[in-house]
Every structure is written in structure tokens, then in C-alpha cells.
């Protein structure tokens, strides 16, 4: 059946007579909004999107574009005339109210806009680069009708040199063809599914992060890897787009703005600059140093923080260490979902609000759960002082069809991109490869060589190879998921897939998840989601009193496990409610903080005190071996280990 819109569009294409026929953009009412929905406007995400490689000359292409569905994969070869049938706000997920489309199950589609290039941007051999911060899932990009590049993978940046395709004094046409199979295929997709239910949510399709242009000199710095450690050593690799071994100058400024170190070297090779006695970065004191790098005519700004994350035995127990000291890590499972924007936070302020709330409760960590955020998220964590445990977005959860070899290779390729793109953010301290066995093949154990591969790309962080089940001993963490009661670093385990292992860091990758149905005005009212509320691990329908009591009990239990056993950190599920899950510190719309703030602050401080006690304290109470027979959890079954 052909819809009226399709009919008009085909007539337009035939007659080329429907310019300006695009249906105007309208913010559509999402099932639930947030305090920021009405502030999105038509100039969303105006901030410079790449905080660790900044240039002055840039232009955002965010705003109103046009959109239309495509019939299928074959349409990629034929960009249709602009404008397309319907206006859309960029960046957005087309499933979101903010997009102005709010439709599910669109698999092939076009996005289009026009742009002009400011004068002199392409003079004297300068190049014009087109940057996409993230497009889910595959993008084919045309400028003035010529294909300029493609990208596969919904969570990373790609950059195209469009200098030879642009007109310098007039409008340029930009088309992006997008294909997004979501969970029709096994691809890195995280929580996105076509049919959302319980712990899986609405998918995101399309250009969901900033699109922008920049003008760069003929030879320019294409990437900058910076790692700074507690000894003041700053290791730098400045890559040039096409000319290796070009001289580069680096200078590092203190938080007061004084240059404290500078050095000359060449591009594309690692070198080290030492800053004597730097102020270290930590959650309590998130000190950052600004950096300027110059390569010929190219000058870029960046920053770093001096910190070392490592493992070590403290009083007989394997611990994560920040700047040489045991750091107990506590924070929420952070899905990064929004009722109005799905994957795209409505505004920067909204995104940072979540982080500030986490910080204000006294937590020092956030586990970014099978999603990769805009770079400004990591910059905010650097600035606020939050340790980040960064998950690789998992592939489809399979029952009997594990990823094929080709799907597995693509997962590995995108894992490498995630690590390379984010390895200069001081806040990120751990990479997570697999979550709860999702997409994890077990006919061989890919987590072993993937752990080695991640360490090769980035030796300055820890690796949590598998969080929650299918643990074969890889990586730095021994990490189980146990709802609702924690079993953190305990020498017993009711979880056959994650047996106790004192050689690695004892960690509770997920626990908690207790819930309370909010008032209807704060609930995601989609019937499919409402139907699954009763699947919440522990639901306190009787009221918030019992919810507060149970939350307190769980944090006390965790504290006891810190005092007695090898527990080095934990992740509480979760920052906010998400769709049919009603177990957040806050409701999905961020309008109600559900937790008893004062109680939580006390209980969280209690965890850190207990951890400090273990550093001061005498011997360990959980040497491997003798306590193996201890009980306490549900034994011999999956009863306590639920997916999330
Ligand atoms: C782009 O340019 C075409 C041709 O000049 C024009 O008809 C159309 O309205 C423009 N589209 C947008 C989205 O600005
Ligand atoms: C790192 O810093 C320490 C102390 O300042 C110094 O002794 C060491 O040589 C440095 N390492 C490198 C690789 O520069
Ligand atoms: C460091 O850089 C940031 C971003 O440009 C700037 O806001 C800040 O003022 C700089 N700090 C100092 C001390 O110059
Ligand atoms: C939740 O309620 C639905 C009916 O709405 C029912 O089919 C399902 O079995 C219930 N699930 C649980 C875990 O109680």
C-alpha cells in the first residue's frame, strides 16, 4: 500500500516541483517528557563536540534537516532531490519525540540538508572536514551528489575530507543514507531492540550526535592520544592526517595557566614529557591540565589529568588502585536513556544533571552501560571527578544463534575503535568487554585475546573482561551480578558462571535493582512497558518506606562484605528508571529523586569508611581456601543472578 506522503514524494521526485514541500518540524509529545524537553529548540547541542582536540574554526550543522524513508538497500545509490518529505531535528533518534518523527521500525532512510562553507575555509590548501559524532548504524554520505564516504557502527565518530566536493560560494547539498537493522542482526546494539520489553528498550536510529564542519590546514593533527600518570609523565602521540614525522610542539599548563612543561618531537611516534610534582587527578580532586599542540599551521587544544590506575595486593587482597592507593569504587549502572531523546540527551545540562546527582550522593564512579556517550559526557566526568567503567555495547542476546565469525570480527573492530577514541579521558579507568554473556561466544573464549588486544591498545587501564557470568578467568576483575542482595568478593558463590577467584579484584558489577512504581505522571506509559513492571527484581508497591528500608539494608550488606571479604567496588542498578524498569535513583523523567538522599549519603560514606578500614586493618579474613564452604546465598542455581 502506498501512503499519501509516499505518493506526494514520488510525484515530487518525478516533477521536481515540490521544493519547500517538507512537512515542518514539530517537537512531538513523547510518552513522557523531562524538564529539558521544551528547551531543545531548533539549535540543539551547540557546544564544541570534541573536547580533547579543539580548533577555533568550526561550524555546527545541527538543526532542522529533512528526512524521508527509503524503500530498501538499493536506494542508497540514488539520493533524492532536496528537500526530503519531512523536517527532522538533528541530532536525534528518529524514534524520539525530539526528532519530530517518532516512528519505530524504519530500517532504510535518507537525511538531507544544505550548508555553505565560510569564506577562506578552503584557501591555501586548507581542507574542509565533515565530522559525524555518531550515526546508528550504517551511513553513506553524499556531498553535492557524490559519495564521500561510509561508516559502520553506531557509537563512534567518523571524519570525511570533503574539500574537493564542495562549492565555495553557494549552497552544498548533503545527503546521508542510513541503514539500521537494530536486533535483526547481531551488531553492537546495547539495549536497543525492535520490540522493547522489561530490560530492553526503544532503539535509536539515525544521526544521534552532532554533525559539524571544520577547516584545517593542509597538514593537520588527525588524532591526539594523551596519557598522564602519577609520576608526571605525559605520553603523547600526535598523528598527522597524511605526513608522518612532522615536527610537533607540545606545551602543558597548570590549572593556574602557567606553562609547566613543553617539548618538541615529531608526529606519529609516542614521546614522553615530564611535569615535575603535578597535582594528581582523583574523584576528590579532579585537577586538569590544559595542553596545546602545534604542528606547522595547525594548533589544537586538549587537556589531561595525572593519574595512575593499577592493581595491587593491599593487606592480602587484590585491589584496584588509584595513584598507588586502594580506591573503593561505588556508583550506579548508567544506561544513558531519555524519555524524550532516547539515546540523545535533550541538552548538555540534562546530561550533566545526572552526573551531578550521582556525585552529590557521594558516589565516585559510574558504569556506562553498553552505550557510548557523546565525548562531552567523558569531559564532564573528568571535570566533576567520576571514575568511569566503560562497557562495550553488546551484540544481540542469543539463545541458540551465536554471532557468526563475520559478526564477531565486526564487534572486535568496533571495540578497538571505542578504546582508541576514548583512551585519553582520565576519568575512564576500566574497559568492559562483555556483559552477562550477551553476544559472548563460548565455543572458544574470545575474551582472552580481546583482553590482550585492549591492553595492547591501552596499557594504562584495567580490563573487566566479562561482567556477570561466563567467567573463565580473563582480565583484572572477578565480577558477579547478584540481584537484589550483593555477593561482593565473598568466598562463597551461588553463581556457577562466576566462581570466587581471589587472584582478581572482587567486584559487584550489578546489584540492587529494587523498585517502586512511581506516580503515573512520572511513568513511561507505554502499555508494553507497564506490563513488565511486575518483573522488577523486588517491587515495593506498599510504598517508599519499605523501598528506603530495603535500599538501606542492601547498602549495609555491601558494607559488611567490604569489611569482611574481598569486595573492592560495586555498581547499583540504576541511575534512573528506564521505560518499564522502575528501579532508578530517580524517575525516568528526572523529576523525582526516589532515594532517601540523607540515608544514601550516610550509607555510601559507610562503604568508603569500611574500605579505609581494610587498608588500616590487620590481616585479611578471606584468604582463599578455608572459607570455601561458607553459605549465605541461594546455592546451586540462577535464582539470584538475573540479567540486566
Ligand atoms: C536545499 O536546496 C534546495 C535547492 O536549492 C532547496 O530546494 C531546498 O529547499 C534546500 N533544502 C533545505 C533542507 O534547506
Ligand atoms: C617517569 O617519571 C619518573 C619520575 O619523574 C622518571 O624517573 C621516569 O624515567 C619517567 N618515565 C619515562 C618513561 O619517562
Ligand atoms: C583550560 O581550557 C579550558 C577550555 O578551553 C578553559 O575554559 C580554561 O579556562 C583553561 N584553563 C586555564 C587555566 O587556562
Ligand atoms: C506480570 O503480569 C502479567 C500480566 O499483566 C503476567 O502475565 C506475568 O506473568 C506477570 N509476571 C510476573 C513476573 O509476575
Amino acid at each position: 500500500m502506498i501512503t499519501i506522503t509516499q505518493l506526494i514524494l514520488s510525484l515530487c521526485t518525478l516533477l521536481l516541483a515540490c521544493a519547500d514541500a517538507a512537512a515542518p518540524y514539530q517537537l512531538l509529545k513523547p510518552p513522557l517528557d523531562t524538564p529539558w524537553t521544551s528547551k531543545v529548540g531548533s539549535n540543539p547541542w551547540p557546544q564544541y563536540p570534541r573536547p580533547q582536540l579543539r580548533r577555533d574554526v568550526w561550524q555546527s550543522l545541527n538543526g532542522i534537516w529533512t528526512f524521508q524513508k527509503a524503500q530498501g538497500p538499493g536506494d542508497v545509490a540514488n539520493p533524492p532531490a532536496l528537500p526530503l518529505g519531512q523536517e527532522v531535528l538533528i541530532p536525534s533518534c528518529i524514534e524520539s519525540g525530539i526528532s519530530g518523527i517518532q516512528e519505530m521500525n524504519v530500517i532504510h532512510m535518507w537525511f538531507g540538508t544544505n550548508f555553505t562553507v565560510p569564506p577562506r575555509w578552503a584557501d591555501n590548501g586548507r581542507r574542509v572536514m565533515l565530522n559525524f559524532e555518531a550515526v546508528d548504524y550504517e551511513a553513506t554520505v553524499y556531498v553535492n551528489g557524490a559519495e564521500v564516504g561510509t561508516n559502520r557502527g553506531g557509537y563512534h565518530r567518523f571524519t570525511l575530507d570533503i574539500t574537493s566536493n564542495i562549492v565555495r560560494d553557494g549552497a552544498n547539498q548533503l545527503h546521508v543514507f542510513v541503514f539500521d537493522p537494530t536486533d535483526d542482526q547481531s551488531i553492537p546494539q546495547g539495549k536497543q531492540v525492535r520490540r522493547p520489553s522489561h530490560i530492553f528498550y526503544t532503539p535509536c536510529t539515525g544521526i544521534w550526535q552532532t554533525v559539524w564542519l571544520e577547516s584545517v590546514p593542509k597538514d593537520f593533527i588527525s588524532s591526539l592520544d594523551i596519557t598522564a600518570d602519577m609520576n608526571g609523565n605525559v605520553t603523547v602521540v600526535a598523528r598527522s592526517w597524511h605526513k608522518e614525522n612532522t615536527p610537533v610542539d607540545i606545551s602543558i599548563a597548570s590549572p593556574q595557566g602557567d606553562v609547566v612543561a613543553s617539548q618538541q618531537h615529531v608526529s606519529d611516534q609516542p614521546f614522553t614529557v615530564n611535569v615535575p610534582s603535578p597535582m594528581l587527578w582523583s574523584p576528590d580532586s579532579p585537577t586538569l591540565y590544559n595542553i596545546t599542540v602545534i604542528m606547522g599551521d595547525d594548533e589544537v587544544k586538549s587537556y589531561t589529568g595525572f593519574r595512575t590506575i593499577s592493581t595491587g595486593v593491599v593487606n592480602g587482597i587484590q585491589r584496584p588502585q588509584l595513584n598507588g592507593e586502594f580506591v573503593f569504587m561505588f556508583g550506579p549502572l548508567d544506561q544513558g536513556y531519555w524519555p524524550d531523546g532516547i539515546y540523545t540527551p535533550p541538552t548538555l545540562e540534562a546530561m550533566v544533571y545526572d552526573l551531578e546527582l550521582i556525585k552529590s550522593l557521594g558516589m565516585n564512579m559510574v558504569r556506562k552501560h553498553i552505550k557510548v556517550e557523546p565525548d562531552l559526557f567523558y569531559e564532564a566526568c573528568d571535570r566533576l571527578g567520576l571514575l568511569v567503567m566503560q562497557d562495550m555495547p553488546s551484540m544481540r542476546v542469543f539463545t541458540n544463534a551465536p554471532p557468526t565469525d563475520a559478526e564477531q570480527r565486526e564487534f572486535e573492530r568496533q571495540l578497538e575503535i571505542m578504546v582508541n577514541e576514548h583512551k585519553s579521558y582520565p576519568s575512564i579507568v576500566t574497559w568492559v568487554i562483555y556483559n552477562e554473556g550477551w553476544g559472548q561466544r563460548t565455543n572458544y573464549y574470545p575474551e582472552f585475546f580481546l583482553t590482550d588486544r585492549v591492553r595492547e591498545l591501552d596499557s594504562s587501564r584495567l580490563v573487566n573482561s566479562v561482567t556477570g557470568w561466563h567467567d573463565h578467568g580473563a582480565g583484572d576483575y572477578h565480577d558477579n551480578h547478584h540481584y537484589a542482595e550483593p555477593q561482593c568478593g565473598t568466598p562463597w558463590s551461588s553463581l556457577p558462571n562466576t566462581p570466587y577467584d581471589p587472584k582478581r579484584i572482587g567486584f559487584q558489577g550489578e546489584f540492587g535493582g529494587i523498585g517502586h512504581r512511581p506516580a503515573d505522571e512520572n511513568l513511561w506509559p507505554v502499555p508494553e512497558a507497564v506490563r513488565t513492571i511486575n518483573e522488577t527484581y523486588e517491587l515495593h508497591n506498599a510504598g517508599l518506606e519499605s523501598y528506603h528500608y530495603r535500599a538501606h539494608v542492601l547498602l549495609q550488606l555491601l558494607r559488611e562484605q567490604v569489611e569482611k571479604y574481598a569486595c573492592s567496588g560495586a555498581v547499583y542498578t540504576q541511575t534512573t528508571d528506564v521505560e518499564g524498569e522502575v528501579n532508578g535513583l530517580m524517575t525516568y523523567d528526572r523529576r523525582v529523586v526516589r532515594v532517601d538522599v540523607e540515608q544514601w549519603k550516610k550509607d555510601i560514606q559507610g562503604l568508603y569508611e569500611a574500605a579505609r578500614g581494610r587498608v588500616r586493618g590487620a590481616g585479611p579474613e578471606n584468604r582463599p581456601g578455608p572459607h570455601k564452604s561458607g553459605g549465605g546465598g541461594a546455592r546451586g542455581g540462577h535464582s539470584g543472578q538475573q540479567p540486566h
Side-chain angles (χ1 to χ4, degrees):
M1 204 186 90
I2 188 158
T3 65
I4 297 207
T5 325
Q6 280 166 339
L7 188 65
I8 293 172
L9 287 175
S10 0
L11 287 175
C12 287
T13 319
L14 282 175
L15 305 174
L16 293 170
C18 293
D20 302 318
Y25 171 72
Q26 209 185 334
L27 173 73
L28 296 179
K29 189 174 157 44
L32 180 68
D33 69 0
T34 70
W36 302 275
T37 313
S38 61
K39 297 182 180 150
V40 172
S42 57
N43 179 27
W45 285 91
Q47 299 84 10
Y48 190 86
R50 198 181 54 195
Q52 289 192 321
L53 183 61
R54 299 196 307 274
R55 290 190 179 90
D56 294 336
V57 187
W58 75 290
Q59 180 183 306
S60 172
L61 295 186
N62 292 347
I64 309 281
W65 293 30
T66 56
F67 163 89
Q68 81 195 25
K69 293 175 198 172
Q71 301 303 316
D75 287 7
V76 66
N78 303 301
L82 295 182
L84 307 174
Q86 199 177 351
E87 288 188 345
V88 62
L89 191 70
I90 298 295
S92 70
C93 307
I94 62 162
E95 292 83 353
S96 70
I98 282 173
S99 71
I101 308 288
Q102 203 167 223
E103 271 191 57
M104 298 274 285
N105 299 313
V106 183
I107 298 173
H108 300 95
M109 70 219 80
W110 285 102
F111 296 88
T113 190
N114 297 340
F115 63 89
T116 54
V117 177
R120 294 185 297 284
W121 266 35
D123 288 1
N124 305 321
R126 292 183 70 88
R127 319 297 300 171
V128 176
M129 310 301 287
L130 172 60
N131 297 296
F132 290 85
E133 293 298 300
V135 180
D136 200 10
Y137 176 72
E138 277 181 26
T140 306
V141 183
Y142 291 83
V143 171
N144 295 324
E147 187 184 317
V148 293
T150 61
N151 183 68
R152 173 175 297 161
Y155 301 95
H156 59 257
R157 167 185 306 120
F158 58 100
T159 296
L160 305 168
D161 182 345
I162 58 169
T163 319
S164 60
N165 304 94
I166 52 166
V167 295
R168 299 184 188 196
D169 39 15
N172 292 276
Q173 299 208 346
L174 172 60
H175 285 83
V176 184
F177 182 84
V178 170
F179 164 60
D180 189 353
T182 309
D183 58 333
D184 287 352
Q185 289 180 14
S186 208
I187 56 174
Q189 57 196 219
K191 290 260 173 161
Q192 308 181 64
V193 288
R194 254 189 217 306
R195 301 182 61 190
S197 174
H198 188 40
I199 64 166
F200 293 98
Y201 320 133
T202 303
C204 173
T205 298
I207 305 169
W208 69 278
Q209 289 188 35
T210 291
V211 186
W212 57 294
L213 290 174
E214 65 184 326
S215 168
V216 298
K218 186 154 167 282
D219 296 320
F220 67 97
I221 298 165
S222 56
S223 74
L224 199 54
D225 298 342
I226 301 177
T227 312
D229 69 17
M230 61 185 279
N231 300 315
N233 291 326
V234 186
T235 306
V236 182
V237 188
R239 285 193 192 78
S240 66
W241 184 261
H242 48 215
K243 199 161 143 232
E244 290 197 6
N245 298 318
T246 308
V248 292
D249 279 300
I250 181 168
S251 69
I252 302 172
S254 71
Q256 290 71 38
D258 309 316
V259 173
V260 287
S262 58
Q263 190 161 320
Q264 274 206 336
H265 200 77
V266 290
S267 66
D268 304 280
Q269 293 182 25
F271 64 101
T272 301
V273 193
N274 190 272
V275 173
S277 335
M279 290 171 66
L280 301 186
W281 185 94
S282 71
D284 292 335
S285 172
T287 311
L288 299 175
Y289 283 64
N290 281 350
I291 293 181
T292 304
V293 181
I294 298 174
M295 188 185 84
D297 293 333
D298 197 19
E299 174 171 332
V300 299
K301 307 270 189 203
S302 189
Y303 69 85
T304 193
F306 291 86
R307 98 285 180 275
T308 297
I309 183 91
S310 59
T311 60
V313 174
V314 181
N315 274 345
I317 300 190
Q318 186 72 10
R319 299 292 195 188
Q321 293 181 299
L322 182 68
N323 302 328
E325 287 172 13
F326 168 35
V327 57
F328 184 80
M329 298 192 268
F330 186 75
L333 190 72
D334 198 73
Q335 312 269 7
Y337 260 81
W338 298 85
D340 46 6
I342 312 295
Y343 255 19
T344 309
T347 64
L348 175 67
E349 294 70 27
M351 187 175 78
V352 173
Y353 172 83
D354 280 6
L355 298 173
E356 285 176 339
L357 181 105
I358 291 164
K359 188 79 186 170
S360 74
L361 290 171
M363 305 187 191
N364 65 353
M365 184 198 65
V366 60
R367 177 173 166 213
K368 179 41 66 184
H369 192 38
I370 50 178
K371 182 194 178 194
V372 185
E373 293 290 352
D375 281 25
L376 290 168
F377 176 93
Y378 303 98
E379 190 258 352
C381 292
D382 291 343
R383 199 164 30 77
L384 294 171
L386 276 168
L387 303 166
V388 178
M389 185 171 253
Q390 176 64 48
D391 292 12
M392 174 64 191
S394 45
M395 286 186 283
R396 184 169 62 185
V397 179
F398 64 88
T399 41
N400 45 25
T404 63
D405 290 344
E407 287 164 345
Q408 178 67 23
R409 278 195 302 274
E410 183 57 23
F411 174 80
E412 294 169 13
R413 188 185 73 88
Q414 292 187 33
L415 169 67
E416 293 185 6
I417 293 173
M418 179 186 78
V419 171
N420 281 328
E421 193 172 309
H422 297 89
K423 64 185 177 187
S424 298
Y425 290 102
S427 53
I428 300 176
V429 291
T430 296
W431 302 113
V432 179
I433 300 175
Y434 285 112
N435 176 66
E436 294 187 351
W438 297 353
Q440 183 185 349
R441 287 174 65 156
T442 51
N443 55 337
Y444 64 107
Y445 300 161
E447 68 269 24
F448 280 96
F449 76 82
L450 290 178
T451 299
D452 292 345
R453 184 72 190 118
V454 168
R455 290 198 208 283
E456 245 170 67
L457 298 174
D458 176 13
S459 57
S460 73
R461 289 182 175 80
L462 308 184
V463 183
N464 189 348
S465 308
V466 301
T467 179
W469 71 61
H470 296 329
D471 184 5
H472 310 110
D476 295 306
Y477 291 82
H478 153 237
D479 175 359
N480 72 57
H481 294 181
H482 201 263
Y483 289 92
E485 265 87 1
Q487 278 191 1
C488 185
T490 55
W492 72 87
S493 173
S494 60
L495 310 168
N497 280 314
T498 46
Y500 177 59
D501 176 9
K503 292 186 299 300
R504 292 176 296 156
I505 296 165
F507 196 76
Q508 185 74 57
E510 291 178 24
F511 82 111
I514 59 169
H516 170 259
R517 184 178 169 137
D520 285 353
E521 71 205 54
N522 307 112
L523 184 69
W524 177 256
V526 175
E528 277 300 323
V530 173
R531 253 199 296 283
T532 60
I533 287 179
N534 62 354
E535 291 176 39
T536 304
Y537 308 120
E538 187 182 303
L539 195 58
H540 290 267
N541 285 326
L544 275 172
E545 283 300 308
S546 68
Y547 168 87
H548 292 324
Y549 168 70
R550 283 290 294 153
H552 173 63
V553 167
L554 296 191
L555 293 175
Q556 287 303 306
L557 272 175
L558 186 68
R559 177 183 176 136
E560 284 174 23
Q561 293 171 6
V562 178
E563 284 165 350
K564 285 190 193 331
Y565 303 113
C567 178
S568 289
V571 176
Y572 187 88
T573 303
Q574 57 190 340
T575 306
T576 70
D577 293 353
V578 186
E579 304 194 351
E581 286 188 296
V582 294
N583 51 14
L585 307 171
M586 290 180 273
T587 52
Y588 196 19
D589 59 0
R590 277 75 170 170
R591 284 197 171 90
V592 180
V593 176
R594 179 179 283 121
V595 294
D596 177 342
V597 169
E598 291 315 311
Q599 188 63 59
W600 270 69
K601 282 186 186 167
K602 264 187 244 152
D603 287 340
I604 290 168
Q605 282 317 311
L607 299 172
Y608 294 116
E609 271 160 32
R612 281 192 293 273
R614 293 307 301 276
V615 173
R616 285 192 305 267
E621 297 173 53
N622 67 330
R623 288 213 190 280
H627 295 293
K628 272 266 154 86
S629 63
R635 270 200 157 270
H638 285 260
S639 56
Q641 184 177 21
Q642 295 180 35
H644 208 88

